[in-house]
Amino acid sequence: MDEYEKERRKQIEEAVVETYKQEEEMMILVFAQWCANHGLDPEEMYRQAYPDQQSNERLQQVLQLVVPKEEAGEIPDDTMLGVLSMFGNEDLAMVVSEAIAARK
């Protein structure tokens, strides 16, 4: 593999990582907005799912983008669970499922 191929591979890897970070941030925003839409505290739900973690800095940053429930679009429960599952957040999906069950 020559230098050009190595550099090209490195650029592709960096682009994949950046895309994943952007998609993960969107997942966090969807989660935070879903919580706001249902009167739930996203930080508390996150703590329930991941009690060993102090806090999630990215969640705190994204909370600034959450809009009031009246201004937000509907986020179906199935969509929320699917997004969490897609990113491997099974523990958080369990906490969300419990909140859904408690609401019904």
Side-chain angles (χ1 to χ4, degrees), residues 66-103:
V66 172
V67 297
K69 170 176 151 172
E70 299 75 30
E71 297 175 25
E74 174 70 22
I75 301 171
D77 296 339
D78 289 345
T79 298
M80 182 72 264
L81 292 170
V83 168
L84 291 173
S85 181
M86 187 169 68
F87 281 88
N89 285 317
E90 302 304 328
D91 293 339
L92 191 53
M94 182 64 73
V95 172
V96 167
S97 292
E98 291 168 1
I100 292 168
R103 192 177 69 223

Side-chain angles (χ1 to χ4, degrees), residues 9-10 21 28 41 45 52 55 61-63 81-82 85 93 97 101 103:
R9 180 174 283 174
K10 182 180 175 190
K21 285 181 181 178
I28 295 169
D41 180 351
M45 293 187 73
D52 295 337
S55 67
Q61 292 171 345
V62 166
L63 287 176
L81 292 170
S85 181
S97 292
R103 192 177 69 223

Side-chain angles (χ1 to χ4, degrees), residues 6-100:
K6 287 180 183 176
E7 182 61 29
R8 183 74 181 128
R9 180 174 283 174
K10 182 180 175 190
Q11 289 173 346
I12 291 170
E13 288 172 1
E14 289 172 355
V16 167
V17 169
E18 185 59 33
T19 299
Y20 181 83
K21 285 181 181 178
Q22 290 172 353
E23 289 174 355
E24 186 178 44
E25 194 159 295
M26 183 58 68
M27 178 269 303
I28 295 169
L29 177 58
V30 169
F31 166 70
Q33 188 63 59
W34 180 88
C35 289
N37 290 358
H38 296 285
L40 301 167
D41 180 351
E43 291 178 295
E44 177 57 31
M45 293 187 73
Y46 189 85
R47 274 192 294 277
Q48 288 176 25
Y50 305 106
D52 295 337
Q53 293 184 20
Q54 291 297 317
S55 67
N56 185 316
E57 185 176 314
R58 292 175 76 194
L59 174 58
Q60 292 184 3
Q61 292 171 345
V62 166
L63 287 176
Q64 299 171 22
L65 303 174
V66 172
V67 297
K69 170 176 151 172
E70 299 75 30
E71 297 175 25
E74 174 70 22
I75 301 171
D77 296 339
D78 289 345
T79 298
M80 182 72 264
L81 292 170
V83 168
L84 291 173
S85 181
M86 187 169 68
F87 281 88
N89 285 317
E90 302 304 328
D91 293 339
L92 191 53
M94 182 64 73
V95 172
V96 167
S97 292
E98 291 168 1
I100 292 168

